Amino acid sequence: MNARAVSYGFRLLLQRLLGLVLFLIGSRFSADYHVWVYFGTNLVLAALGWVYIYRINPDVLAERGKVVTDSPVWDKWLLGLYWLLHFFVIHLAAGFGFGTALAENVFWAGMFFVVASSALAVAAVRVNPFLESTARLQAERGQFVVQAGVYGVVRHPTYASVLLSCLGICLVFQTVWVYVLALLIAALIVARTSLEDTMLLEKLPGYSTYAQRVRYRLIPFVW
């Protein structure tokens, strides 16, 4: 058993549970079935994704669990802000805004994007053994350009999955502060994508050729 991969899985589930706790604090422990569907689905998707990748390549999960790396300073700041906002603050804000009547069709559209976000992230981790949580060059691991699977469509599919997640949570909770925070998270992801892409173009052999073939960073036919 890969202890670091298992530790990462526990932390992943703990993130989801803490998000639920913060929502309940914000909502003064008020919830309806929409809340349980959203958080339950997130918890199940995280567990299933971890199990699936663990069976294929537990080492990539162990690497994603590293919290101290030699990534650039800009990455540490952007990652820290993203992590705080995406997993915790936005769910607290969703709790504060809870109580407004939700448009049922919009809610289920949001859940579709939540599931799609998770599926895209797992598809990226499945084919990329260098997909750490931080943005850095991994010369010590013999890093090369991954072009298989979803990397044949966009160059940063895990960041694209975050944009889907932002859209999903907006449609699920339908409150102003969730919209504002989701836009901020999306802006952080766009900035991180731009900076990481520039770093890879400059320093990772073969990446510039790959970028000429796969033109879009996050959204096909857009950017």
Side-chain angles (χ1 to χ4, degrees):
M1 181 174 287
N2 189 315
R4 287 196 298 153
V6 171
S7 173
Y8 174 70
F10 278 119
R11 281 158 38 207
L12 204 63
L13 297 180
L14 183 60
Q15 278 180 351
R16 277 38 177 197
L17 290 172
L18 285 176
L20 171 59
V21 169
L22 288 169
F23 175 91
L24 292 173
I25 290 172
S27 69
R28 298 184 180 181
F29 295 90
S30 176
D32 64 8
Y33 85 91
H34 298 97
V35 173
W36 302 118
V37 167
Y38 171 77
F39 284 103
T41 300
N42 266 323
L43 192 65
V44 169
L45 289 173
L48 290 177
W50 180 88
V51 169
Y52 177 66
I53 298 300
Y54 190 89
R55 290 171 63 89
I56 297 170
N57 185 3
D59 291 338
V60 72
L61 295 174
E63 295 300 320
R64 284 186 66 75
K66 291 194 299 188
V67 294
V68 179
T69 71
D70 58 351
S71 66
V73 173
W74 55 259
D75 179 63
K76 290 180 171 65
W77 279 100
L78 290 175
L79 179 60
L81 275 172
Y82 157 75
W83 186 79
L84 184 65
L85 294 175
H86 184 69
F87 292 108
F88 306 117
V89 176
I90 199 167
H91 291 117
L92 181 64
F96 284 138
F98 181 70
T100 305
L102 299 178
E104 199 71 13
N105 290 341
V106 176
F107 169 79
W108 289 110
M111 288 306 303
F112 169 81
F113 286 111
V114 167
V115 174
S117 167
S118 179
L120 180 56
V122 170
V125 178
R126 181 182 182 277
V127 297
N128 189 352
F130 307 107
L131 195 56
E132 295 184 357
S133 297
T134 58
R136 71 184 189 95
L137 295 171
Q138 303 171 44
E140 79 285 358
R141 299 182 63 212
Q143 184 179 7
F144 55 83
V145 179
V146 174
Q147 305 182 47
V150 289
Y151 286 91
V153 181
V154 292
R155 304 204 294 264
H156 300 275
T158 49
Y159 296 161
S161 76
V162 175
L163 298 186
L164 289 177
S165 175
C166 288
L167 177 57
I169 196 171
C170 286
L171 298 178
V172 165
F173 289 110
Q174 305 166 33
T175 63
V176 172
W177 279 111
V178 168
Y179 301 156
V180 171
L181 287 166
L183 283 173
L184 179 55
I185 293 165
L188 290 173
I189 287 300
V190 169
R192 194 176 185 215
T193 299
S194 180
L195 290 166
E196 183 174 344
D197 204 66
T198 299
M199 178 184 71
L200 294 172
L201 283 168
E202 292 175 353
K203 298 181 179 179
L204 182 61
Y207 192 82
S208 59
T209 302
Y210 164 66
Q212 291 172 7
R213 187 176 69 83
V214 179
R215 295 173 54 197
Y216 302 104
R217 299 172 181 87
L218 284 177
I219 306 172
F221 309 109
V222 178
W223 185 71

